[in-house]
Amino acid sequence: MYIGVDYYPEHWPRERWETDAQMMQAAGFNIVRLAEFAWVNMEPQEGRFEFGWLDDALALLARYDIRAILCTPTAVMPAWVARAYPETLAMQTDGTRIVWGVRKNNCFTAGAYRLLSERITRAMAEHFKDAPNVIGWQTDNEFGNPVCHCDTCRATFQDWLRTKYGTLEALNQAWGTHFWGHSFGTWGEIQIPVDRNTHNPSACLDWQRFYSWLNVRFQRDQVQILREICPQHFVTHNLMGLFHELDYYDLAADLDFVSWDNYPVWGKPDIPYKAAEAADVMRGLKKRNFWIMEQTAGPGGWGSYGRNPRPGEIRKIAFQQVAHGADGMVWFRWRTCTAGREQYWHGLLGHDGKGLRRYQEAAQTAADLHSLSTLLEGTTVKASVALIYDYDSIWALRIQPGYAGNTYHAAVERIYAALFRAGVNVDMIKPTDDFTPYRAVFAPDLYVLPDTVARALSDYVENGGVLFCDSRTGVKDETNLCHDRTLPGLLSDALGITIEEYESLDHDWGRGLSFTYAVQGDGDLAGEYTATQTAEWVQPTTAETLATYTEWHMQPFAALTRNRFGKGWGYFLGTNIGEEAFYDRLIADILAHADVTAIATPPEGVEVSVRENGDRRLLFVLNHTETPQTVSVPAGKTELLTGQITDTTLTLDRYGVAVIQLR
Ligand code: GLA
Ligand code: ZN
């Protein structure tokens, strides 16, 4: 297993390099990521390349058995690029160009930038293709910024639309430009929609897709060069988990595997649902394991710094990712910088360069992971439950949330967190994926619903699948026009309901006008709950009602329904319930109908996850709390980190982790 750090030898005197390499080796590290922002160090003047310093660093690291991932350095343009080619600096909405001096400053359509990027990529690839300890590449850094409003970007957008729609008539139709008299007579009239709150929602959605495509195209230009010259090396990119300016499915398509940057230490310690969810999203992009390319190593910040990971937390954070499919672990960064904007983004070593607590904890983690690596090899998470993770719905809901406070991620998190608490693994999948490998599919806030997807979901239920949907399902088609059918449209039969009316319980046009409805649950969901934010006035047709509203005018409508359709079940929740316990009971009911059994029933704050292959099953148990926790586990198995044989329960210390070999 590759375990190591993001290393910037160019920041430190050469006399220090050997100490760094020694300390890395002593910590059990065998990989570094290099050259991420070092364009000017490698091409100090246009066309003059200097790779000697990096050759020396690589040779030194090789003596300590440390391999390297090199980055194409295009996330920071050298000052000479901005001076010689000012059009490479992205243009802001007011028509001025970004002032050079941070990073991610560039326009992705500027021909000069694309050529310079290809040239440095080719020069690096040619120079390092046979370097013995180089094993792969990271493209650029954290794609997704900035947005450029220059004329070249606008013209490229127009071209992209012409390719997509063929005729202006088709575009006018797809965008519904009859509204407000916005029809286009020529392609050249099309503008970049600058404000997603006021511009045409269909134009805004296509702009977002275009912007994503621009980044993907920029990366692809580099990937093609790397594949041509260095076919023996892997190519990856450091994505950002739940970041959603780009369609990560597309960005990942050109990579060998996904890597991502995980920084879960911010406010007070809490149950890290999001880091688990993000890991599952990352694993889902290519349906394969991933790497952590930057992992929290200390307090982070550019001006002020945040919380310090507490003793045990660095190790626990790493194990959580491994439990969800991480096959490589790289901490950001090796040593805290004494210069520049990230002086407070702390590494494993502080400014003083000493191997103190955080370094030692990472070293212990490395030793633990190396001891597991043979068993981990070839294993991954195999979930029987899927959650649809859809960028179109993320973007369309950002353009029009419908009700105040609605975000796609909030909807996903309500469900994901309940599945996490229930102790089941989840696969995050595309709406166009095959649903049949899963016993249950959760589709929260699936707002953009093409007919093909609706039919596939309906067939899935009819053939025995269990589907969960909630408010705002299927409102839009793929061009962001409203479907002209009674909701939930093509899912009406599978869900056994119709929705003729709906409302917000909160409105972003008024302050303090929010209200709630009381909800009464029946059967296994017995109890009183609170409907918040949104209410769809759900009329069951064939569905049974599992929860009702008590307010007089809402009594004819259902808050929660369950429908037998063919051999499967369709659930619909028409509101957001304030109480977490409601979701726990709902998930329990859905999992029971889907015949899914939990890995274990963990106490609050304890996470379970399984990695497996044909022969092996490894159960990860992680205590995210700061008090010891006792968990029921299968007895008579080996806990691999201690070598002890399990009893029927296992007690984990604060932030403790255990890996039990079930098979
Ligand atoms: C990102 C970048 C790193 C570093 C950290 C901290 O994750 O990839 O280079 O800048 O943020 O700011
Ligand atoms: Zn531009």
Side-chain angles (χ1 to χ4, degrees), residues 36-37 103 141-142 238 261 263 294 302 332 342 345:
E36 195 194 18
F37 301 121
R103 60 181 189 186
N141 172 61
E142 297 187 339
N238 58 333
D261 299 347
Y263 293 105
E294 297 182 16
W302 277 20
F332 185 88
E342 293 191 355
W345 203 286

Side-chain angles (χ1 to χ4, degrees), residues 87-91 97 106-110 146-154 156 192 207 214:
E87 76 278 15
T88 61
L89 287 163
M91 186 176 279
R97 296 206 179 262
N106 66 285
C107 161
F108 285 101
T109 65
V147 176
C148 179
H149 297 267
C150 78
D151 285 345
T152 317
C153 284
R154 185 159 75 98
T156 311
I192 296 172
W207 166 254
L214 263 190

Side-chain angles (χ1 to χ4, degrees), residues 30-83:
N30 54 10
I31 190 84
V32 289
R33 184 192 65 179
L34 296 172
E36 195 194 18
F37 301 121
W39 191 346
V40 77
N41 308 65
M42 295 185 287
E43 191 180 359
Q45 283 170 354
E46 184 171 353
R48 181 161 71 76
F49 299 102
E50 277 184 14
F51 296 118
W53 64 275
L54 193 47
D55 291 335
D56 295 346
L58 282 167
L60 178 79
L61 290 158
R63 282 201 275 118
Y64 290 87
D65 278 332
I66 297 170
R67 310 275 162 94
I69 297 165
L70 299 181
C71 300
T72 63
T74 43
V76 175
M77 66 167 77
W80 61 256
V81 174
R83 183 169 45 84

